[in-house]
Amino acid sequence: MTSPAYAAPTRLDEATELLAGTESARPLAGGTDLMLHLRLGTAHPTLVVDITGIATISGIEIRDGELVIGAATTMRQLLAHPSIHRRCAALAQAADRLGGQQMQAVATLGGNLCNASPAAESATPLLALGATAVIAGTNRQRRIPVRRFLTGPGTTALGPGELLTGIAIPMGPRTVSAYGRLDLRRSVDIAIVSCSVALTVDGTGSITAAQIALGAVGPTPFCAPAAAAELVGLTVENGQLDQGAIDRAARSCAHAASPIDDVRASAGYRRAMTRTMVGRTIHAALAQLGT
Amino acid sequence: MNSSWVGRPIQQVDVQEKISGATRYVGDLPIGGVLHAAIVRSPVAHGRIRSIDTTDARKVPGVRAVITAQDRAPGFFGPHADDWEILASTVVRARSDEVAAVAATTVEAARQAAALVSVAVDELPAVFDAAAAAEPGAPVLWEHSPDNVAFKFEIERGDVEAGFADADVIVEDEYTSSPIYHAYLEPIGFVCEYHRGGTYTITGPTHIPFIARTLYARALGVRPDQVHIVVPPIGGSFGAKYLMPEPLIAAVLSRVTGRPVRIVYEREEDMAVARFRPGLHFHHRIGVRANGRFVARESTVLGAAGDRLFWSPEILATAVQRADGLYDFGSVRGSGRLLYCNLSGTTAMRGFGNAEALFGLEQMIDDIAERLNMSPVQLRRRNAFRTGDRTTHGWLIGSTKLQQCLTRAAQASNFTAERARLARASGRTGHRGGIGLAIGHHVSGYRPILQAYDGSSAMLRVGMSGEVDLLVGEPDLGQGENTILAQLVADHLGCRPERVRSRRVDSTLSPDSVGTLASRGTAMAGMATVIAAQDARRHLTRFAAQQWQVDPAGVRWDEGIARAGRRSAGFDQLVEQYVAAHSGLPLLGRGVYRPKTEMPDATKYGNPSVSYPFAAHVARVDVDCDTGNVAVTDYWAIHDSGVIINPSTARGQVIGAVAQGIGWALMEDIKVTSGQVRNPNFLDYRIPGLGDTPQVHVEFVDGYEPNGPAGAKSLAEVAIDPVTAAVCNAIHNATGVRVRRLPCSPEYLWSLLHKTASTRPPHPPGTKLGARDGHHGA
């Protein structure tokens, strides 16, 4: 049993070079997932590259009509930022449900996404909000939608030597969002079902765009566009929406889900709860309109 | 006697060391030259060992020994039957069975080597629950038990047939309690050292050091006095740490290597091989007259022992008979069977069979109340035993304030009005509120634990500068016994409690003991301690009287100062003079407490305990019917434990027990597949966190138990006994659904509410689901 080597670069290009130079290198941010993998023997890096000293990949700013969040930004930093609550309520709510407070203090947005758990807290808000992953390689930068970033349980679109440096969320017309999740207890837990709903509403109360993303009910978190389409074109009146449409959207999500039986819940229960939680989360998103 | 310290919520005497990390648990003890052990276990749930290859393991740098059953004379032993082996010689009967062990200079080397031991087995058919193990043709685990029955218990009193014939209403139902993990903070660990000359020192946790010494000596083939037991501070147990196989493996490794050997589990291993609380399946029948009088009770209980017996037989016996000490059922008949199966052996846990029985009975009593259109409070009042009663099986109820507990619980929670209101609003969709009540009782010690004697003894030593050292044989498990004993000493000796050091149990110094089990710590060690303190004080009083040439009866103690006429002296001053006058001999107090308990006779009749504590609990729940999630939103726990010696630690006991009970009721769920625990971690084995634990309103009614130290009775176990039933009665109030098996997980409750069969087999390991969901007994 050998400990991996450790490097702590302060510049992004150093980090990507280190990652490109060693095949089994792994970036380290909060470490809440990586340390677990090391302990369980499910990761065997020979080099760990600590990226928390790279100033350019932490923090939150509004730039070119986008809210850009550095990959090494912690959940606590997200929760402390008013723009996140105002513009990306689903993401703030998800950050608040990630682990306990100790974990929120160190766990990062990039780490949570790159660990690529089917139940990853940050995944469904970012999918629903149409976020883009900003990726740095040794020679080039590229941007891909988060929905293409997550390729399977535990896998991402990152190539050798590539590092997720940030997440860009479009700051378009007024969008309300909410995160919903079913746990088996109120303290630290992992979702049985999670979902995020984002609704873009114009001045007349008409829903011009909608997205619903689901977590823990498939190999990766994913969007359910057919379900979301049930809501587009409807008008919100007094914070209410046609309940029939909400039910149709929720049922459509349950249909789109492909959950499995595991130690936490059965597939049947997960599917039924997908419907329940999506319905509730649509209502929670609508409630944001009143605020 | 002053009573200035009893009744005060003083801080626990060892809390500073514990919260600052200074307390040295077994894993922290600095031991020179210590080797680290790792255990190799069976690759299958049931099989015959063909060969064990240790060649590669021996090559790992740092390895000092790899042992198998070959390295010691094979032999069977055990606390109840000869079903333990230090290392399996021919047959493995559970995946937790130990087949080899490694000692190495580092933990990593030991684990690496253990992983390289290759065990070849011919797999045998296995059986994983009691019901299946009881069927004809089931795989047989032990030659001595061809029907897999590990233990049987039967009891009968009165004419049960006549009782049921006399009944106006008979309710009959089945309930299944689940196995749970004890979830103590400190995983199991030991340090063992073999000494030339043939003695062993075993340092580690146990509730019952002297019973453990006897068993360990037998296993190691030495006399009991050749095994030196030292009990360091224990980081919780809840019943798991009575007798364990781990120290024996470490002992053999120490003998083979000539070095001390430590074994400390990581949480995953601790949970994967844990001796869980046994799952029990109950068939209950209660006969009752139209006026609400119980006239007959019959119960049969089936439990899973696992592959060897730890403390499950006593639990089964308790599950069958103990409720007969709470209610007068008129005539009773009970029988229980404990079956071997290919799982880790099950063992004791707080509540000890009684909590399991009450889980069903206390729900059935609500059903009876409904059938008779009676208040559930009134029905319980009418049938519960009262002070001075001799119960069905001969318990003497010296004091009970259960009636007051019921009154206060109903009052404080506005139970009757709320229950009626919530029943009217009950349903199976949306959020529904519910309120539920349950009562419970327990013992304070139990005569049959040790054949030789009951009671406890204490030795008190007061040194030259007034420091007080107390030796009892009942270890503090982390529950605060040392604080209780210090308060009792303070009152009876006239010193401050922080001057009293309860010494760790050491079999070469401490008195022999029954141990800390059956909620007997305060009741037994407390009483012995009071007597020892009084004895020391008597010596000191006599000494003062001699010095002052007055009659000892004329010496009065007040606030730690002895006075006779115009003469006076402080405690410390007198002790100093006493020790000097005796050429250095400390002031010694001897405490021998022989309780007036009775060994139950052949029919199991007799008064086995000095006193009986009681409780009435009320739970408020919010049921999210669309997900099955239950939140316990409020909780009242009203207790009669006689005089409360320390209200702060007592409150802690109750709140902890309620949280533990809520976990058992709603979420704790061991998942086992083919004998393998699939969720050996606190992420997938959920215990309640702060978010799952409501505000618990704890109240102690005024009581005084004539047979208890300073009037006290036990508290530790009674506090969990009513919890699962209180929560489930509240769920019934909210939804109309009866929860007949544990845990009532969101998925399970949701399936009950919406009548969809859960897609996975719902029965917990070791039991078979027998509950007829949605069916309200005959």
Side-chain angles (χ1 to χ4, degrees):
Chain A
M1 218 174 290
T2 51
S3 293
Y6 172 85
T10 54
R11 290 203 329 265
L12 184 57
D13 56 347
E14 289 177 79
T16 51
E17 266 165 44
L18 283 163
L19 289 168
T22 307
E23 201 184 329
S24 66
R26 287 283 293 263
L28 167 75
T32 56
D33 285 311
L34 182 60
M35 294 310 290
L36 211 57
H37 285 303
L38 293 178
R39 229 183 121 235
L40 295 173
T42 46
H44 308 276
T46 52
L47 172 67
V48 164
V49 181
D50 185 342
I51 57 168
T52 55
I54 305 169
T56 54
I57 62 166
S58 285
I60 298 159
E61 57 178 347
I62 294 168
R63 196 167 61 204
D64 305 331
E66 288 182 325
L67 186 72
V68 180
I69 307 169
T73 305
T74 65
M75 296 297 148
R76 181 166 295 171
Q77 287 171 313
L78 286 179
L79 285 166
H81 205 284
S83 289
I84 300 292
H85 290 274
R86 209 165 48 239
R87 298 293 198 141
C88 319
L91 183 59
Q93 291 160 11
D96 195 36
R97 291 292 284 274
L98 185 146
Q101 293 193 9
Q102 289 159 315
M103 278 186 265
Q104 289 170 12
V106 291
T108 63
L109 182 63
N112 185 246
L113 201 63
C114 290
N115 187 53
S117 157
E121 283 78 3
S122 64
T124 63
L126 296 180
L127 287 169
L129 292 164
T132 299
V134 183
I135 298 166
T138 40
N139 296 315
R140 63 179 188 130
Q141 273 220 1
R142 61 182 182 125
R143 292 165 57 109
I144 57 169
V146 168
R147 82 187 128 77
R148 284 190 15 232
F149 182 79
L150 300 167
T151 54
T155 63
T156 66
L158 286 175
E162 284 191 322
L163 184 70
L164 177 72
T165 60
I167 292 293
I169 299 170
M171 305 266 284
R174 183 172 191 204
T175 298
V176 291
S177 65
Y179 173 76
R181 146 168 161 180
L182 183 68
D183 288 349
L184 297 182
R185 71 172 161 197
R186 278 154 199 80
S187 309
V188 180
D189 207 346
I190 283 186
I192 292 297
V193 172
S194 65
C195 61
S196 289
V197 172
L199 305 171
T200 305
V201 185
D202 70 12
T204 69
S206 179
I207 296 177
T208 57
Q211 194 51 275
I212 302 176
L214 305 173
V217 289
T220 65
F222 63 97
C223 290
E230 298 282 355
L231 307 175
V232 177
L234 302 178
T235 303
V236 184
E237 282 175 53
N238 302 323
Q240 300 293 311
L241 203 57
D242 172 39
Q243 186 60 38
I246 293 175
D247 288 342
R248 281 196 299 281
R251 260 204 314 276
S252 171
C253 285
H255 185 70
S258 56
I260 54 164
D261 284 312
D262 70 7
V263 74
R264 298 187 181 120
S266 73
Y269 182 65
R270 280 200 158 106
R271 191 183 297 280
M273 290 307 104
T274 303
R275 183 174 166 184
T276 302
M277 295 313 295
V278 168
R280 288 181 181 184
T281 308
I282 293 172
H283 282 289
L286 291 169
Q288 304 265 325
L289 284 170
T291 62
Chain B
M1 178 191 82
N2 316 323
S3 190
S4 55
W5 292 103
V6 164
R8 279 204 216 176
I10 66 164
Q11 209 175 54
Q12 293 206 17
V13 289
D14 46 9
V15 74
Q16 287 302 334
E17 291 99 274
K18 282 187 176 170
I19 61 173
S20 66
T23 301
R24 279 179 168 167
Y25 297 97
V26 71
D28 308 316
L29 297 171
I31 311 279
V34 74
L35 295 176
H36 303 271
I39 296 174
V40 182
R41 296 179 196 277
S42 170
V44 297
H46 196 190
R48 191 168 291 280
I49 298 171
R50 209 165 53 226
S51 63
I52 302 169
D53 185 351
T54 61
T55 319
D56 292 344
R58 288 177 196 281
K59 289 181 192 154
V60 173
V63 167
R64 292 290 175 270
V66 184
I67 58 164
T68 67
Q70 310 286 318
D71 294 276
R72 44 163 283 102
F76 288 92
F77 58 96
H80 290 93
D82 286 338
D83 54 9
W84 287 35
E85 276 182 293
I86 297 179
L87 293 168
S89 55
T90 50
V91 176
V92 282
R93 296 174 180 84
R95 286 176 184 270
S96 50
D97 275 12
E98 306 85 351
V99 292
V102 179
T105 48
T106 65
V107 175
E108 290 75 18
R111 288 187 187 149
Q112 194 189 342
L116 292 172
V117 173
S118 140
V119 183
V121 294
D122 294 322
E123 199 166 353
L124 294 167
V127 59
F128 301 109
D129 69 66
E135 277 173 25
V140 174
L141 275 80
W142 292 98
E143 273 171 28
H144 68 252
S145 175
D147 57 359
N148 285 329
V149 174
F151 176 75
K152 263 187 196 170
F153 182 85
E154 283 178 1
I155 192 165
E156 185 160 0
R157 198 92 51 207
D159 190 339
V160 181
E161 301 308 331
F164 278 114
D166 213 19
D168 296 308
V169 172
I170 295 171
V171 291
E172 185 170 359
D173 220 328
E174 293 186 36
Y175 282 86
T176 305
S177 70
S178 53
I180 59 173
Y181 174 58
H182 300 76
Y184 31 71
L185 278 173
E186 183 198 19
I188 284 172
F190 283 90
V191 176
C192 297
E193 186 166 9
Y194 176 76
H195 308 283
R196 252 171 286 167
T199 62
Y200 295 87
T201 300
I202 295 180
T203 305
T206 175
H207 293 237
I208 46 175
F210 290 87
I211 299 174
R213 186 174 73 151
T214 306
L215 182 85
Y216 296 164
R218 206 181 127 205
L220 296 167
V222 297
R223 294 187 315 272
D225 61 277
Q226 289 175 283
V227 175
H228 174 200
I229 303 269
V230 178
V231 186
I234 299 174
S237 168
F238 306 106
K241 300 170 183 172
Y242 281 21
L243 304 169
M244 289 149 281
E246 290 82 6
L248 299 172
I249 293 170
V252 174
L253 283 170
S254 176
R255 194 186 64 209
V256 169
T257 59
R259 303 209 1 212
V261 173
R262 171 151 39 209
I263 179 159
V264 177
Y265 285 154
E266 298 275 340
R267 182 64 67 184
E268 286 78 5
E269 186 170 13
D270 196 273
M271 290 180 83
V273 308
R275 278 75 71 170
F276 298 119
R277 152 175 239 145
L280 299 177
H281 179 75
F282 292 84
H283 188 127
H284 294 297
R285 210 169 150 228
I286 303 171
V288 57
R289 288 237 184 87
N291 65 4
R293 266 278 171 221
F294 298 157
V295 284
R297 172 171 105 92
E298 190 174 24
S299 69
T300 52
V301 186
L302 187 64
D307 76 329
R308 55 184 121 154
L309 293 177
F310 284 81
W311 227 260
S312 51
E314 291 82 354
I315 292 179
L316 184 87
T318 304
V320 172
Q321 68 166 337
R322 188 159 294 174
D324 303 331
L326 179 59
Y327 294 112
D328 185 353
F329 286 104
S331 55
V332 297
R333 179 162 63 212
S335 68
R337 278 182 308 158
L338 196 59
L339 274 291
Y340 282 121
C341 59
N342 297 106
L343 298 168
S344 185
T346 55
T347 199
M349 188 171 173
R350 190 187 213 172
F352 203 86
N354 190 30
E356 284 90 336
L358 293 174
F359 160 63
L361 288 170
E362 281 293 285
Q363 292 194 71
M364 289 173 69
I365 286 170
D366 265 25
D367 288 341
I368 294 170
E370 208 171 302
R371 293 274 293 272
L372 298 178
N373 200 21
M374 272 183 81
S375 134
V377 179
Q378 201 49 41
L379 182 61
R380 287 176 170 87
R381 277 191 194 291
R382 182 157 304 171
N383 291 286
F385 284 110
R386 311 244 171 176
T387 298
D389 281 350
R390 185 106 179 174
T391 71
T392 312
H393 304 310
W395 293 10
L396 283 164
I397 307 296
S399 72
T400 170
K401 299 274 179 181
L402 178 60
Q403 302 287 337
Q404 288 88 327
C405 292
L406 271 165
T407 304
R408 259 314 285 159
Q411 245 171 24
S413 62
N414 196 17
F415 176 76
T416 303
E418 281 297 277
R419 186 166 180 272
R421 182 181 71 79
L422 293 164
R424 284 194 297 275
S426 75
R428 293 181 174 214
T429 54
H431 281 261
R432 307 284 170 167
I435 191 165
L437 172 130
I439 63 174
H441 68 311
H442 222 84
V443 294
S444 309
Y446 199 61
R447 175 63 189 90
I449 295 166
L450 205 60
Q451 185 67 33
Y453 65 90
D454 194 8
S456 173
S457 55
M459 302 192 292
L460 193 81
R461 172 195 187 280
V462 190
M464 185 73 154
S465 57
E467 76 278 16
V468 183
D469 287 279
L470 175 68
L471 282 160
V472 296
E474 284 78 16
D476 187 324
L477 310 167
Q479 82 279 41
E481 181 187 297
N482 288 345
T483 304
I484 299 301
L485 299 183
Q487 285 175 271
L488 290 169
V489 170
D491 273 0
H492 290 274
L493 194 60
C495 62
R496 292 182 62 84
E498 55 269 24
R499 298 296 292 278
V500 183
R501 293 180 298 199
S502 270
R503 304 311 295 252
R504 64 185 188 184
V505 176
D506 179 323
S507 63
T508 62
L509 295 169
S510 307
D512 203 294
S513 71
V514 179
T516 311
L517 71 172
S519 288
R520 69 193 298 288
T522 294
M524 296 291 173
M527 207 65 159
T529 297
V530 166
I531 295 167
Q534 287 170 338
D535 185 47
R537 166 95 138 231
R538 202 160 39 242
H539 290 308
L540 201 58
T541 304
R542 214 174 288 145
F543 175 74
Q546 270 171 10
Q547 299 291 308
W548 298 336
Q549 296 180 331
V550 298
D551 188 90
V555 178
R556 293 270 174 275
W557 284 89
D558 178 36
E559 302 271 323
I561 293 165
R563 294 175 203 281
R566 289 198 315 276
R567 308 291 299 268
S568 75
F571 175 81
D572 285 6
Q573 189 189 347
L574 268 180
V575 168
E576 193 179 341
Q577 291 170 9
Y578 179 97
V579 174
H582 292 80
S583 300
L585 183 74
L587 172 64
L588 299 172
R590 302 186 336 155
V592 177
Y593 176 49
R594 294 186 198 89
K596 286 178 267 173
T597 51
E598 299 163 351
M599 184 67 94
D601 65 16
T603 72
K604 288 120 184 159
Y605 189 91
N607 181 43
S609 173
V610 276
S611 63
Y612 302 91
F614 297 88
H617 286 196
V618 173
R620 271 297 290 262
V621 299
D622 173 75
V623 182
D624 180 347
C625 296
D626 301 326
T627 64
N629 247 314
V630 176
V632 182
T633 53
D634 221 342
Y635 203 97
W636 293 265
I638 318 296
H639 280 257
D640 163 28
S641 283
V643 169
I644 299 302
I645 294 172
N646 186 322
S648 165
T649 59
R651 260 178 61 79
Q653 277 275 23
V654 175
I655 293 168
V658 169
Q660 204 164 34
I662 288 173
W664 191 13
L666 299 177
M667 62 187 81
E668 300 193 27
D669 199 358
I670 295 148
K671 303 285 173 65
V672 178
T673 305
S674 306
Q676 184 102 48
V677 177
R678 289 158 66 209
N679 54 341
N681 58 69
F682 283 133
L683 183 59
D684 289 318
Y685 180 84
R686 291 168 184 78
I687 62 172
L690 279 179
D692 305 284
T693 310
Q695 163 108 28
V696 182
H697 310 276
V698 183
E699 283 184 33
F700 299 100
V701 298
D702 282 336
Y704 184 87
E705 168 55 52
N707 297 312
K713 301 194 278 193
S714 80
L715 177 60
E717 290 183 273
V718 65
I720 198 173
D721 286 336
V723 181
T724 57
V727 170
C728 292
N729 277 335
I731 293 170
H732 182 264
N733 181 225
T735 63
V737 163
R738 269 279 163 239
V739 175
R740 294 186 173 82
R741 76 152 179 91
L742 295 172
C744 182
S745 65
E747 180 166 356
Y748 177 63
L749 181 58
W750 181 80
S751 72
L752 290 183
L753 287 164
H754 304 288
K755 296 283 178 199
T756 37
S758 180
T759 56
R760 70 206 160 106
H763 49 86
T767 62
K768 188 162 184 172
L769 181 68
R772 292 157 299 159
D773 300 326
H775 174 81
H776 284 248

